[in-house]
Amino acid sequence: MSTARENAVLAPLERRLGLVDYAETLADMQRFTAARGPETADELWLLEHPPVFTQGVSGKAEHVLAPGDIPVVPVDRGGQVTYHGPGQWVVYLLIDLKRRGMGVRALVDLIELALVDVLARYAIAAAPDPAAPGVYVEGAKIASLGLRVRRGCSYHGLALNVSPDLEPFQRINPCGYAGLEVTSMAALLGQDAPTMDAVADCLLAALQRRLQTRHTA
């Protein structure tokens, strides 16, 4: 019979939170991570944010070019500045890395491969870039990621551009790269682009599959 500990390792709980405020969600992640114990189940939080720029701990002010009416929020993840907004799926991965025997690099690789899996499902040929975390299609960034690890547990996660307004990315140097092109599934597929709900199901399934396959390998 499986123990509670084994179940917690194998299958993270999924929470679909809808459109939620960034600062409030960040505080919720931090509280969850601070309060969790050895038996706390891992969780995947799927959500969208209202328009916001987030600046990572290594972020430089010069990469925020012209934010206009979109707020800029300093955050405790790695990386530089990125944009979140409606039409972009964000998944926060609240994972006990120590319990799973994973390092940060392994989690980054797992996230990137799950994103590649999802995009391949829709005939989009994507790949990670070893020099710059994220997933790219012919040099254009379609998904970003940034993590923080505290007490052996991760939070923050990934952002996949399904059908967001891409204009705000022109107001920043995305992830600290001047002139980096950003794309989306809608921009690439046009009328054949999938719905947000379809991508949500596919994305969560890909993350679950990668996490469980790694644990049982």
Side-chain angles (χ1 to χ4, degrees), residues 48-211:
E48 297 173 86
H49 288 305
V52 62
F53 295 116
T54 65
Q55 181 75 288
V57 293
S58 58
K60 297 180 180 179
E62 59 261 35
H63 293 309
V64 182
L65 305 176
D69 58 351
I70 299 177
V72 180
V73 179
V75 298
D76 58 353
R77 61 162 172 78
Q80 301 261 351
V81 64
T82 193
Y83 168 74
H84 296 308
Q88 179 193 73
W89 277 132
V90 174
V91 180
Y92 292 132
L93 293 95
L94 306 168
I95 305 296
D96 188 330
L97 298 177
K98 184 176 180 181
R99 183 171 61 196
R100 288 178 178 266
M102 295 178 68
V104 177
R105 182 68 250 178
L107 182 58
V108 169
D109 290 345
L110 184 152
I111 293 169
E112 291 176 336
L113 290 172
L115 287 162
V116 169
D117 292 343
V118 171
L119 293 164
R121 167 69 177 77
Y122 296 101
I124 297 173
D129 181 346
V135 173
Y136 301 79
V137 179
E138 297 183 351
K141 196 163 198 174
I142 194 169
S144 59
L145 63 94
L147 296 167
R148 175 67 186 264
V149 176
R150 181 176 295 169
R151 299 189 303 120
C153 299
S154 70
Y155 58 106
H156 294 287
L158 68 90
L160 173 61
N161 296 334
V162 182
S163 56
D165 179 4
L166 296 177
E167 184 277 332
F169 286 102
Q170 299 176 21
R171 307 187 196 184
I172 59 174
N173 291 330
C175 305
Y177 292 93
L180 177 65
E181 184 180 352
V182 177
T183 191
S184 68
M185 298 178 74
L188 294 168
L189 298 176
Q191 293 183 346
D192 294 328
T195 65
M196 287 289 286
D197 285 345
V199 176
D201 293 341
C202 190
L203 180 56
L204 289 172
L207 289 167
Q208 291 277 14
R209 183 168 56 253
R210 286 283 177 179
L211 283 164

Side-chain angles (χ1 to χ4, degrees), residues 11-17 41-46 91-92 200-209 211-212:
L13 299 176
E14 297 177 5
R15 302 194 185 280
R16 302 191 184 211
L17 303 180
D42 293 337
E43 297 193 3
L44 303 176
W45 294 3
L46 175 87
V91 180
Y92 292 132
D201 293 341
C202 190
L203 180 56
L204 289 172
L207 289 167
Q208 291 277 14
R209 183 168 56 253
L211 283 164
Q212 295 179 42

